């Protein structure tokens, strides 16, 4: 059974850092394109970052470039999102999701993890 489980969220002050993890089971993350998506309070879903299947290309939404870093550990079958210099506008529920490729729809999502940036 395919399962994605996010962890590592929480409350952090502006300028702080968090690292989100997305543990996958039932499939290998190196066989799929993986993404991070977020939903801020009262807003729609927003794609944040995506990694292609080989892991050689990682893209980011402009608002997080230079602050967020996506990586994966194939031995742990886990995707990561390192978030630095966090801003209040980064407050959202963060989801990881997989797709067959970088241009195909996501077919499985995790349940999401809350990240709150506030003083």
């Amino acid at each position: 059974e395919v399962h994605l489980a996010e962890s590592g969220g929480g409350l952090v002050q502006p300028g702080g850092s968090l690292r989100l993890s997305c543990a996958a089971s039932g499939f290998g993350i190196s066989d799929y394109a993986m993404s991070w998506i977020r939903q801020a309070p009262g807003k729609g879903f927003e794609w944040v970052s995506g990694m292609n299947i080989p892991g050689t290309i990682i893209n980011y939404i402009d608002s997080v470039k230079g602050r967020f870093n996506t990586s994966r550990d194939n031995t742990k079958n886990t995707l990561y999102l390192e978030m630095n210099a966090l801003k209040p506008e980064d407050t959202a529920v963060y989801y990881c999701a997989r797709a067959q490729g970088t241009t195909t729809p996501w077919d499985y999502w995790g349940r999401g993890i809350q990240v709150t940036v506030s003083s």
Side-chain angles (χ1 to χ4, degrees), residues 14 19 24 30 32 36 38 41 45-46 55-56 60 63 65 70-72 85-86 97 109 112 114 118-119:
R19 187 177 80 157
S30 60
Y32 289 84
W36 289 99
R38 67 187 179 186
F45 291 104
E46 177 180 58
T56 55
Y60 302 91
S63 60
K65 284 181 180 177
T70 292
S71 62
R72 74 185 187 197
L86 282 161
W109 294 55
Q114 178 70 44
S118 175
S119 54

Side-chain angles (χ1 to χ4, degrees), residues 22-67:
C22 171
S25 58
F27 73 101
I29 61 169
S30 60
D31 296 324
Y32 289 84
M34 300 297 297
S35 290
W36 289 99
I37 302 144
R38 67 187 179 186
Q39 186 176 30
K43 297 187 177 180
F45 291 104
E46 177 180 58
W47 172 84
V48 175
S49 176
M51 175 186 287
N52 68 345
I53 294 173
T56 55
I57 299 174
I58 305 171
N59 292 311
Y60 302 91
I61 193 172
D62 285 349
S63 60
V64 308
K65 284 181 180 177
R67 300 189 297 122

Side-chain angles (χ1 to χ4, degrees), residues 3-7 21-25 36 78-79 96 109-113:
H3 188 61
L4 294 165
E6 300 92 344
S7 62
S21 298
C22 171
S25 58
W36 289 99
T78 300
L79 182 74
C96 61
W109 294 55
R111 299 184 70 173
I113 191 82

Side-chain angles (χ1 to χ4, degrees), residues 79-118:
L79 182 74
Y80 300 99
L81 182 66
E82 185 79 31
M83 304 185 293
N84 301 304
L86 282 161
K87 304 176 181 180
E89 52 263 43
D90 295 318
T91 295
V93 177
Y94 284 73
Y95 302 85
C96 61
R98 77 163 204 187
Q100 302 285 340
T102 53
T103 59
T104 57
W106 300 296
D107 57 0
Y108 281 95
W109 294 55
R111 299 184 70 173
I113 191 82
Q114 178 70 44
V115 171
T116 302
V117 185
S118 175

